Amino acid sequence: MALTKLNYTGQGTIPIAKIPTITGAKMPASSIIKVQTNPITAFGTTNLTTSFIDIAGTEQSFTRTVSNSKILVTFNLKLTSLQGLTLRLNRKIGSGSYAVVNNGASGTNSGRTSELGVFGCYYNTITINAMGYGIHSDIYNFLDESGEGLSNTTDAITYKLTCKGATANSKVFLNITGYDGTGGNFTTESSVTFTEIKV
């Protein structure tokens, strides 16, 4: 059977105004509807106390497109410590106050009792090895949602890291080596990525 070529020229164009806009609210559940990465360029040494204090440069904000979506918060941290330090994640919604989130589990296991639920811990001592001199690249993920105290809002949500030392001699080095001698004083860049997930 012979093929017949159809030359149909009556097809019109679709006006742009007729193409529907697909908003985040119309996306299926579990869809990624927004991704935002903020660089953390501040670098330097923070002298710690035995109480939690801010780590400069880690305060970063994100605004959701859908008021009840989840936020996967991913910190890519380039840091090291001198002696022991403990990290906490803090959240502020709109113009409210900061509250600690992701406090971790509590209870006792094999005779070990949780002293403090935290985001992360470090212990480096340059008298034992050179870990305190280097820069470590560590990824911290936290899925923020209503079960973690995240309210339904499209106000800006701001996160920051706070830190305390095991002693008053503890230090945290963000985006910089712990070694400040000639030829060893290097800097780098951390970041935080916010991934908005449709509920």
Side-chain angles (χ1 to χ4, degrees):
M1 177 177 185
L3 296 175
T4 302
K5 180 179 179 182
L6 299 177
N7 292 316
Y8 176 64
T9 58
Q11 173 102 23
T13 58
I14 300 174
I16 296 297
K18 299 288 187 181
I19 299 175
T21 300
I22 301 175
T23 62
K26 296 178 181 177
M27 297 291 286
S30 301
S31 297
I32 294 175
I33 54 180
K34 183 178 178 181
V35 178
Q36 174 183 313
T37 299
N38 296 353
I40 300 173
T41 57
F43 66 91
T45 303
T46 301
N47 295 315
L48 302 177
T49 69
T50 53
S51 299
F52 283 95
I53 62 174
D54 293 353
I55 301 179
T58 63
E59 188 174 46
Q60 302 287 330
S61 296
F62 178 75
T63 301
R64 294 185 286 189
T65 56
V66 179
S67 64
N68 67 339
S69 58
K70 300 177 182 181
I71 305 173
L72 178 62
V73 182
T74 302
F75 275 94
N76 177 10
L77 296 176
K78 310 293 180 62
L79 53 70
T80 190
S81 71
L82 177 63
Q83 303 300 327
L85 64 84
T86 302
L87 292 174
R88 270 185 166 177
L89 178 64
N90 304 263
R91 179 213 308 122
K92 179 177 73 171
I93 299 173
S95 59
S97 301
Y98 276 103
V100 177
V101 293
N102 189 32
N103 256 335
S106 61
T108 303
N109 180 264
S110 300
R112 299 179 64 182
T113 301
S114 173
E115 177 186 356
L116 185 67
V118 297
F119 202 45
C121 292
Y122 290 80
Y123 186 83
N124 294 314
T125 171
I126 56 177
T127 60
I128 297 174
N129 54 46
M131 295 295 283
Y133 283 147
I135 301 176
H136 310 281
S137 181
D138 295 315
I139 303 293
Y140 288 93
N141 289 311
F142 176 67
L143 183 62
D144 205 2
E145 55 186 329
S146 59
E148 299 291 344
L150 182 62
S151 60
N152 294 346
T153 182
T154 53
D155 288 343
I157 302 167
T158 307
Y159 298 88
K160 70 176 179 180
L161 296 178
T162 55
C163 189
K164 77 167 188 171
T167 71
N169 296 323
S170 300
K171 301 177 187 293
V172 61
F173 306 95
L174 179 66
N175 289 337
I176 193 169
T177 56
Y179 179 70
D180 60 2
T182 303
N185 208 359
F186 309 122
T187 58
T188 184
E189 184 175 283
S190 299
S191 64
V192 58
T193 298
F194 304 102
T195 304
E196 185 177 5
I197 302 170
K198 177 75 164 46
V199 174

